[in-house]
Each structure stands twice: as structure tokens, then as C-alpha cells.
Amino acid sequence: MSSSTPLEGAIAVIIGVFEKYASKDDNSKTLSRAEVKTLIEKELPMFVQDPSSKKGVQEMFTELEDGSGEVDFCGFMSQVANLVMVCKSVLDQN
Ligand SMILES: [Ca+2]
């Protein structure tokens, strides 16, 4: 059995998180607004400790919705990339 590197593991985790929350309703290919809300609350508690930042993160996802109010994997991934870059810039300041 081959072991994955930390980055390979992180990629698998990100895909797994999307699939876990996207499949809570009939359409497992996209995240509904309710699924996004649950994902943020369960998986990103550090980002939503106060109500204003919680609203901010939800709005960032809302901007990625397609016409039907759903976020696909590409949109989810770009949001994750944004959050990673925000974390990196915060770490660089400290
Ligand atoms: Ca879904």
C-alpha cells in the first residue's frame, strides 16, 4: 500500500469534503446554499467565530453560485484557494 505525501493527502481531503457536503441533497455535483452553510459551520469554524466573518465567508461562496444558486467543484475550489491565500498572508504578517 503506497502512502501519500502531505500535499496529496490535502488534495484528497479537499475532494472528500466537497463530496461529503455536496451529496447531502439530490444533486451531489454541486453545493446548495444550505450545504455551503453546513460545510462552513462544520469545516471552517476558525473562519466564522464572529458573525461578521461568518457572513463574509458565506457571501464569498454566494458570489460563486451559478444561475440556480448552486456552487460547483470549480467554484468551491477557487474559494478554498482564496481562503488558503488569506491564511498565508495572515501568517506572513505575524
Ligand atoms: Ca448538493
Side-chain angles (χ1 to χ4, degrees), residues 18-33 35 70-71:
F18 177 84
E19 290 179 342
K20 176 181 174 184
Y21 290 90
S23 63
K24 290 191 181 292
D25 63 11
D26 291 342
N27 186 352
S28 62
K29 300 285 182 201
T30 58
L31 292 162
S32 67
R33 202 167 283 188
E35 287 169 336
E70 302 275 321
V71 176

Side-chain angles (χ1 to χ4, degrees), residues 48-61:
V48 294
Q49 280 170 350
D50 65 86
S52 65
S53 65
K54 180 176 182 178
K55 194 163 175 276
V57 173
Q58 282 179 338
E59 282 172 358
M60 287 161 81
F61 274 99

